[in-house]
Amino acid sequence: MTDAAVRPTKPATSKRTPAGGAPTAPHTADEAHEARIDIAAVTDLLLGTWADTRREAREMVKDPALWRVDGLPMAEHRERVLEQLRIVVSHGGSRRAYPKEYGGLDANGANVSAFLELVLADPSLQIKAGVQWGLFGSAIHHLGTKPHHDKWLRDVMNLDLPGAFAMTETGHGSDVAAIGTTATYDVDAEEFVIHTPFRGAWKDYLGNAALHGRAATVFAQLISGGVNYGVHCFFVPLRDENGSFVPGIGGEDDGVKGGLNGIDNGRLHFDQVRIPRENLLNRYGDIAPDGTYSSPIDSPGRRFFTMLGALVQGRVCLDGAATTATAAALTIAVTYGNQRRQFDSGSGTDEVVLMDYARHQRRLLPRLAATYAQAFAGDELIKKFDGVFSGREDTPDEREDLETLAAALKSLSTWNALDTIQEAREACGGAGFLAENRLVGLRADLDVYVTFEGDNNVLLQLVGKRLLSDYAQQFKDADAAALARFAVGQTAGKVFHGAGLRRLGQTVTDFGSTARSVELGLRADQQHDLLSGRVQQMVADVAGRLRPAAKMPAADAAALFNENQSELIEAARAHGELLQWEALTDGVNRAADDGTRQVLTWLRDLFGLSLIEKHLAWHLIHGRLSTQRGAAVSRYIDRLCARLRPHSQDLVDAFGFAPEHLRAPIASGAERERQHEAREYYAALAASGDAPVSEKALKKQKK
Amino acid sequence: MTDAAVRPTKPATSKRTPAGGAPTAPHTADEAHEARIDIAAVTDLLLGTWADTRREAREMVKDPALWRVDGLPMAEHRERVLEQLRIVVSHGGSRRAYPKEYGGLDANGANVSAFLELVLADPSLQIKAGVQWGLFGSAIHHLGTKPHHDKWLRDVMNLDLPGAFAMTETGHGSDVAAIGTTATYDVDAEEFVIHTPFRGAWKDYLGNAALHGRAATVFAQLISGGVNYGVHCFFVPLRDENGSFVPGIGGEDDGVKGGLNGIDNGRLHFDQVRIPRENLLNRYGDIAPDGTYSSPIDSPGRRFFTMLGALVQGRVCLDGAATTATAAALTIAVTYGNQRRQFDSGSGTDEVVLMDYARHQRRLLPRLAATYAQAFAGDELIKKFDGVFSGREDTPDEREDLETLAAALKSLSTWNALDTIQEAREACGGAGFLAENRLVGLRADLDVYVTFEGDNNVLLQLVGKRLLSDYAQQFKDADAAALARFAVGQTAGKVFHGAGLRRLGQTVTDFGSTARSVELGLRADQQHDLLSGRVQQMVADVAGRLRPAAKMPAADAAALFNENQSELIEAARAHGELLQWEALTDGVNRAADDGTRQVLTWLRDLFGLSLIEKHLAWHLIHGRLSTQRGAAVSRYIDRLCARLRPHSQDLVDAFGFAPEHLRAPIASGAERERQHEAREYYAALAASGDAPVSEKALKKQKK
């Protein structure tokens, strides 16, 4: 406890100081003489439903062979990551998602939970594993049928068959329905002809495509007998035993990227490549030898979205991985902020610990609160995913809820990752810019998370459209209680648990004693009212403005929608934030002891108030807050930051990372040692009587 | 004009469409049939006072030998950048800042203007050049005297003497006054002893330190006769002819960084290293052979800040380089956004050009407006810098204004660079993540700009303190017109031109005809009132809350200041934003033709309203805007975005970059060709009668 030992021992000379977040305020929960969290218990809460699996994965990634090596040339990095995948296989890490009959474990939630921890080793490893087992393998598993499973799943699992997931094209990313690649059925040969008709239809940005992929699951327009049955997925061999492309296939390397350079992203194109009819992954659509098309889903639109929905796992993983990476970055920055000193406060005592600066608290603590919220919301997402994919709760409604939830949470958490890791890097100054301290590498690698597996803006627009259609549905019967029902539909009770049973009021009364909340207003129930009221109002407003579209020519309707696009996306964001807030609140209430619940309630309040501050103008304009209360929001946040400051180390320690996960010299205690050494040097110098006197002091004496 | 040729030709069916930013709205200024900018004239305006020099520098960086090579291993990148510095020397690029008697050009403004364009070649080149000529050489030039110039300046200029600028220590970055390195005068030997007393006092993050530096300008506490005269700068040889450290000097490589890996950053430490007395760079403080200290500046505090102020050039350069890099990123993203299509709008016509999406406009156009504002504000900063450093306007007041202005503008423009380059990268989707498209490289390299040459938060705090002291000064005589005078003091008239003559009202009446402005309110004068009123009120509020500090014990006063730290920093940011807005307005008014002035006035309005929207809650809480007008702000912004959309390509083209500066395949026209090819393919297919019919259409027919 170096900090405690060197703090000025004279008592505070004013009552203001201890409460004010001042440079001499308590540094640790111990010093604050108040309730503190039970760190181990909070770690359990944060690790969530599959805590054991996550611990197992964290144990595995302590192996230095799995770690990112900064500055490794791209070619070596790619080979290293391929090797790392083999290590994951040797730990059984590729089995969890697959059926037991092929040596798998049929454990979807556990699979995602383990997979997201790989980000701590090297995000390239996480994403390359995701390409192999979450996309390529998943397509065979979820879009294919037993013959495909029999033929390929074991090889996929043990990495004897590395593959690419060839969906995106140079010309079409988020708009998968419009891809140009064709798969035309040749009834005489009983083969599909895979073809790239123009440059924009080259498959692009595909992991495993530049080097390691032996095959690919290729999405193409299925054409038979002159009819286009829409996008389907086909198994297409790419390379022979020597790693050369088979005839008809060509490609390019995507080269260096902004991050994830351990993955061999590349482009593929097909020149009349023939594959057997049986290589159509035919779970949702099949072609008989005579070219007749059949599908268990009659509507082409619903069939398309069902196929895409089978791949929602990617978004679930990205959400969790973003939260894990963000938590690691905050642990590094807060730990450093609790050791590093800079600038004499002017009080003549000593240099100030960074975390004592009000600005530093403001920069890091609200982001810490958001990361807690993400962790709890992410666990709800994985539970929902597991429910659907285990078949326990696999209904069309549940699938739709899952997809909406994944889209909302993935967007918020991946954007927050970039924002928070960057703030952490800046909070560590020049040291934060060194690769050895991890922050720049994490940020660079996670950059693309905000646009892949669905561009965040596009995903939020999908969420917004879902909110609009829910809203419209409620009003179909023009019932007086319709708006209230809509409101309930947007809360965690409905979205996480599919129940829709918890009424708004009920939910709120459970949110812990008000005494633990902010004392001067804007308590839990008020936070909830403001956040949920905003979602409802925004959706209602957009819906109202779009109403005339139904009677407009298509072009005008599109223009009207476009005018409301930004606000619809903001409504979707507000919806996601509400869900995070509710998940955090539920999580806080699961804490067993009073101290933990008290501190976490402050953290929840900080999250809620930060959201309200972010959208304060909206709340003022819509009369939800008076200007007087609006003005108080920022002051409450300052007070909560000061109150949480002594708990900052406990709160990041509760993420449960070991030194092998953080690997940042500035968060290793080295800074504390350096500070200690410097202070001892000056103390010894002063004691020796040899310390030079300052010119300033000399001038004062002379006067 | 592919775009024009393929747009649906049927007339809009509703009056709403043309004004609504709809998918079928005009794509180009030509199509919009309205005033457009004179691109070449706007380029002249943007390049500013030293346009010729900037064009010369841009011509030089067309040389591929100066370009960043993505994925180059660090060691090779470092050698390449050293070579590039020699190329810059061969172009005379290192001479501008130095005195004519040593072969220089004595052209400070021109030097900075040319230097900031290097960012287009490789930011590592820009910063390594900055280390050599802007920091190491500048320290000798501005902190040294004639004997030092005679001895070293020529070798510095021609790179025969590469050097490091050894100010920052592992333990002290922004707080330079507290560095630990000592320079103790040994009167018998007439030498200084440079020494590192503990690990935290190692010099750190120094460019040229790991490999290439032959000497360093080392900042250390000057101690003579038992008195510490504070931080001074010393010339210290580092390496011998073979590149080995001379005795007593040690160091370490900082290794891989988040960017700028073409620079050999490293650490240095000194073990009782002896240098001649004459190696003290003695312009602001000297030691006689007998150890007597003398200085032209009596106050140790003022002396320290004068020495640091001599190095303000670095911040001026970073501000300009950040703006250039941001402009390049926006040019890439807007060009791509004007060519790339994605998603059928539902109107059944065709896929929509990205820039037609309201969200896409919202993401890019306000940032484009901010970048224009930065460009004009940056030119004012360089003019002020040139005035001071040429000696033409070198007064203590002017120096202080220059430092405040540089701190404010550098903070805003470097943060905006990261935000905007990232938005540009996301707006380009997966293509934006490829290194070949430049955006990720620019962002990675510019990351550290926000914390070096002064951490932005620390710099803004300095600006805030200056605002507070200006405010206090106005109130010394408790005059009734004091607040009004303070207000005037914060506007461009005073800050840029040192005149303080332009009254608030006058400034505003010059801001162009209101007819060109937003038609429904929030015109130029109102924007200005809101922006300047906010600065004044925030400063007055903080000053009021800090008033009791004068009578408090030091620790309590520090605590009180800390409570107000965040708001003071926000006030400083508001001040910087106001200056940018005024510079943009002045720039717009310099446009000669009506069309240019009209479009740029919309752009200025977009900047002003975006600032007001960003701080809308403040304006509402403080009664500056009614909730009704507040609600209108976002709608005005949407309308301005739609109005500026056809001008977006003109506005980025006016930055004046050549293909050799952009070097991004997605901004080369390749995407336009791909889109064209795809559309021709589908058109030919339709014409041939062989196009497959969609299953959906088939199902409709059957019904």
PDB file of all heavy atoms in Angstrom, chain B residues 496-512:
ATOM      1  N   PHE B 496      -6.752  36.777 -32.997  1.00  0.00           N
ATOM      2  CA  PHE B 496      -5.960  36.619 -34.214  1.00  0.00           C
ATOM      3  C   PHE B 496      -5.153  37.875 -34.526  1.00  0.00           C
ATOM      4  O   PHE B 496      -4.019  37.819 -34.955  1.00  0.00           O
ATOM      5  CB  PHE B 496      -6.869  36.328 -35.422  1.00  0.00           C
ATOM      6  CG  PHE B 496      -7.544  34.987 -35.353  1.00  0.00           C
ATOM      7  CD1 PHE B 496      -8.779  34.791 -35.953  1.00  0.00           C
ATOM      8  CD2 PHE B 496      -6.961  33.921 -34.686  1.00  0.00           C
ATOM      9  CE1 PHE B 496      -9.402  33.550 -35.905  1.00  0.00           C
ATOM     10  CE2 PHE B 496      -7.578  32.680 -34.622  1.00  0.00           C
ATOM     11  CZ  PHE B 496      -8.807  32.506 -35.236  1.00  0.00           C
ATOM     12  N   HIS B 497      -5.804  39.028 -34.350  1.00  0.00           N
ATOM     13  CA  HIS B 497      -5.192  40.250 -34.866  1.00  0.00           C
ATOM     14  C   HIS B 497      -4.662  41.160 -33.772  1.00  0.00           C
ATOM     15  O   HIS B 497      -4.130  42.221 -34.051  1.00  0.00           O
ATOM     16  CB  HIS B 497      -6.206  40.990 -35.755  1.00  0.00           C
ATOM     17  CG  HIS B 497      -6.898  40.076 -36.717  1.00  0.00           C
ATOM     18  ND1 HIS B 497      -6.211  39.361 -37.689  1.00  0.00           N
ATOM     19  CD2 HIS B 497      -8.202  39.699 -36.835  1.00  0.00           C
ATOM     20  CE1 HIS B 497      -7.071  38.603 -38.359  1.00  0.00           C
ATOM     21  NE2 HIS B 497      -8.281  38.792 -37.866  1.00  0.00           N
ATOM     22  N   GLY B 498      -4.813  40.751 -32.545  1.00  0.00           N
ATOM     23  CA  GLY B 498      -4.226  41.495 -31.440  1.00  0.00           C
ATOM     24  C   GLY B 498      -4.787  42.884 -31.287  1.00  0.00           C
ATOM     25  O   GLY B 498      -4.279  43.694 -30.511  1.00  0.00           O
ATOM     26  N   ALA B 499      -5.845  43.161 -32.003  1.00  0.00           N
ATOM     27  CA  ALA B 499      -6.306  44.537 -32.060  1.00  0.00           C
ATOM     28  C   ALA B 499      -7.340  44.850 -30.994  1.00  0.00           C
ATOM     29  O   ALA B 499      -7.295  45.891 -30.350  1.00  0.00           O
ATOM     30  CB  ALA B 499      -6.903  44.801 -33.435  1.00  0.00           C
ATOM     31  N   GLY B 500      -8.224  43.933 -30.776  1.00  0.00           N
ATOM     32  CA  GLY B 500      -9.289  44.204 -29.825  1.00  0.00           C
ATOM     33  C   GLY B 500     -10.170  45.352 -30.258  1.00  0.00           C
ATOM     34  O   GLY B 500     -10.882  45.945 -29.468  1.00  0.00           O
ATOM     35  N   LEU B 501     -10.121  45.690 -31.545  1.00  0.00           N
ATOM     36  CA  LEU B 501     -10.847  46.862 -32.013  1.00  0.00           C
ATOM     37  C   LEU B 501     -12.246  46.527 -32.496  1.00  0.00           C
ATOM     38  O   LEU B 501     -13.159  47.317 -32.389  1.00  0.00           O
ATOM     39  CB  LEU B 501     -10.077  47.528 -33.162  1.00  0.00           C
ATOM     40  CG  LEU B 501      -8.750  48.158 -32.737  1.00  0.00           C
ATOM     41  CD1 LEU B 501      -8.021  48.715 -33.948  1.00  0.00           C
ATOM     42  CD2 LEU B 501      -8.977  49.254 -31.695  1.00  0.00           C
ATOM     43  N   ARG B 502     -12.374  45.334 -33.051  1.00  0.00           N
ATOM     44  CA  ARG B 502     -13.679  44.979 -33.608  1.00  0.00           C
ATOM     45  C   ARG B 502     -14.647  44.709 -32.471  1.00  0.00           C
ATOM     46  O   ARG B 502     -14.398  43.874 -31.621  1.00  0.00           O
ATOM     47  CB  ARG B 502     -13.540  43.731 -34.470  1.00  0.00           C
ATOM     48  CG  ARG B 502     -12.715  43.976 -35.715  1.00  0.00           C
ATOM     49  CD  ARG B 502     -12.264  42.670 -36.303  1.00  0.00           C
ATOM     50  NE  ARG B 502     -13.332  42.029 -37.055  1.00  0.00           N
ATOM     51  CZ  ARG B 502     -13.253  40.774 -37.465  1.00  0.00           C
ATOM     52  NH1 ARG B 502     -12.222  40.051 -37.171  1.00  0.00           N
ATOM     53  NH2 ARG B 502     -14.237  40.256 -38.159  1.00  0.00           N
ATOM     54  N   ARG B 503     -15.739  45.433 -32.469  1.00  0.00           N
ATOM     55  CA  ARG B 503     -16.736  45.157 -31.441  1.00  0.00           C
ATOM     56  C   ARG B 503     -17.584  43.987 -31.904  1.00  0.00           C
ATOM     57  O   ARG B 503     -17.680  43.694 -33.086  1.00  0.00           O
ATOM     58  CB  ARG B 503     -17.614  46.386 -31.189  1.00  0.00           C
ATOM     59  CG  ARG B 503     -16.826  47.554 -30.588  1.00  0.00           C
ATOM     60  CD  ARG B 503     -17.380  48.016 -29.236  1.00  0.00           C
ATOM     61  NE  ARG B 503     -18.696  47.462 -28.922  1.00  0.00           N
ATOM     62  CZ  ARG B 503     -19.849  48.005 -29.297  1.00  0.00           C
ATOM     63  NH1 ARG B 503     -19.871  49.105 -30.017  1.00  0.00           N
ATOM     64  NH2 ARG B 503     -20.977  47.446 -28.947  1.00  0.00           N
ATOM     65  N   LEU B 504     -18.162  43.345 -30.921  1.00  0.00           N
ATOM     66  CA  LEU B 504     -18.937  42.151 -31.207  1.00  0.00           C
ATOM     67  C   LEU B 504     -19.935  42.389 -32.325  1.00  0.00           C
ATOM     68  O   LEU B 504     -20.016  41.649 -33.293  1.00  0.00           O
ATOM     69  CB  LEU B 504     -19.669  41.719 -29.940  1.00  0.00           C
ATOM     70  CG  LEU B 504     -19.813  40.230 -29.714  1.00  0.00           C
ATOM     71  CD1 LEU B 504     -18.445  39.582 -29.642  1.00  0.00           C
ATOM     72  CD2 LEU B 504     -20.568  39.972 -28.434  1.00  0.00           C
ATOM     73  N   GLY B 505     -20.710  43.469 -32.194  1.00  0.00           N
ATOM     74  CA  GLY B 505     -21.750  43.776 -33.174  1.00  0.00           C
ATOM     75  C   GLY B 505     -21.174  43.979 -34.564  1.00  0.00           C
ATOM     76  O   GLY B 505     -21.669  43.435 -35.546  1.00  0.00           O
ATOM     77  N   GLN B 506     -20.088  44.715 -34.622  1.00  0.00           N
ATOM     78  CA  GLN B 506     -19.434  44.966 -35.910  1.00  0.00           C
ATOM     79  C   GLN B 506     -19.030  43.671 -36.592  1.00  0.00           C
ATOM     80  O   GLN B 506     -19.310  43.449 -37.760  1.00  0.00           O
ATOM     81  CB  GLN B 506     -18.159  45.787 -35.700  1.00  0.00           C
ATOM     82  CG  GLN B 506     -18.411  47.253 -35.456  1.00  0.00           C
ATOM     83  CD  GLN B 506     -17.104  47.984 -35.229  1.00  0.00           C
ATOM     84  OE1 GLN B 506     -16.107  47.375 -34.877  1.00  0.00           O
ATOM     85  NE2 GLN B 506     -17.114  49.284 -35.429  1.00  0.00           N
ATOM     86  N   THR B 507     -18.361  42.844 -35.817  1.00  0.00           N
ATOM     87  CA  THR B 507     -17.906  41.581 -36.379  1.00  0.00           C
ATOM     88  C   THR B 507     -19.068  40.883 -37.060  1.00  0.00           C
ATOM     89  O   THR B 507     -18.959  40.399 -38.172  1.00  0.00           O
ATOM     90  CB  THR B 507     -17.394  40.669 -35.246  1.00  0.00           C
ATOM     91  OG1 THR B 507     -16.618  41.469 -34.364  1.00  0.00           O
ATOM     92  CG2 THR B 507     -16.574  39.543 -35.797  1.00  0.00           C
ATOM     93  N   VAL B 508     -20.168  40.895 -36.366  1.00  0.00           N
ATOM     94  CA  VAL B 508     -21.300  40.120 -36.841  1.00  0.00           C
ATOM     95  C   VAL B 508     -21.927  40.707 -38.090  1.00  0.00           C
ATOM     96  O   VAL B 508     -22.315  39.986 -38.997  1.00  0.00           O
ATOM     97  CB  VAL B 508     -22.338  39.980 -35.710  1.00  0.00           C
ATOM     98  CG1 VAL B 508     -23.642  39.431 -36.249  1.00  0.00           C
ATOM     99  CG2 VAL B 508     -21.772  39.087 -34.630  1.00  0.00           C
ATOM    100  N   THR B 509     -21.996  42.027 -38.169  1.00  0.00           N
ATOM    101  CA  THR B 509     -22.646  42.620 -39.347  1.00  0.00           C
ATOM    102  C   THR B 509     -21.880  42.322 -40.626  1.00  0.00           C
ATOM    103  O   THR B 509     -22.430  42.398 -41.712  1.00  0.00           O
ATOM    104  CB  THR B 509     -22.773  44.146 -39.209  1.00  0.00           C
ATOM    105  OG1 THR B 509     -21.485  44.673 -38.871  1.00  0.00           O
ATOM    106  CG2 THR B 509     -23.782  44.524 -38.149  1.00  0.00           C
ATOM    107  N   ASP B 510     -20.614  41.985 -40.475  1.00  0.00           N
ATOM    108  CA  ASP B 510     -19.823  41.672 -41.663  1.00  0.00           C
ATOM    109  C   ASP B 510     -20.042  40.253 -42.168  1.00  0.00           C
ATOM    110  O   ASP B 510     -19.474  39.871 -43.181  1.00  0.00           O
ATOM    111  CB  ASP B 510     -18.323  41.834 -41.353  1.00  0.00           C
ATOM    112  CG  ASP B 510     -17.984  43.271 -41.018  1.00  0.00           C
ATOM    113  OD1 ASP B 510     -18.746  44.166 -41.439  1.00  0.00           O
ATOM    114  OD2 ASP B 510     -16.962  43.487 -40.348  1.00  0.00           O
ATOM    115  N   PHE B 511     -20.806  39.465 -41.469  1.00  0.00           N
ATOM    116  CA  PHE B 511     -20.810  38.029 -41.746  1.00  0.00           C
ATOM    117  C   PHE B 511     -21.673  37.632 -42.941  1.00  0.00           C
ATOM    118  O   PHE B 511     -22.276  36.573 -42.950  1.00  0.00           O
ATOM    119  CB  PHE B 511     -21.261  37.244 -40.516  1.00  0.00           C
ATOM    120  CG  PHE B 511     -20.226  37.205 -39.428  1.00  0.00           C
ATOM    121  CD1 PHE B 511     -20.572  36.892 -38.131  1.00  0.00           C
ATOM    122  CD2 PHE B 511     -18.888  37.488 -39.704  1.00  0.00           C
ATOM    123  CE1 PHE B 511     -19.621  36.855 -37.134  1.00  0.00           C
ATOM    124  CE2 PHE B 511     -17.937  37.453 -38.714  1.00  0.00           C
ATOM    125  CZ  PHE B 511     -18.305  37.141 -37.421  1.00  0.00           C
ATOM    126  N   GLY B 512     -21.731  38.494 -43.949  1.00  0.00           N
ATOM    127  CA  GLY B 512     -22.444  38.101 -45.167  1.00  0.00           C
ATOM    128  C   GLY B 512     -23.930  38.343 -45.034  1.00  0.00           C
ATOM    129  O   GLY B 512     -24.461  38.400 -43.935  1.00  0.00           O
TER     130      GLY B 512
END
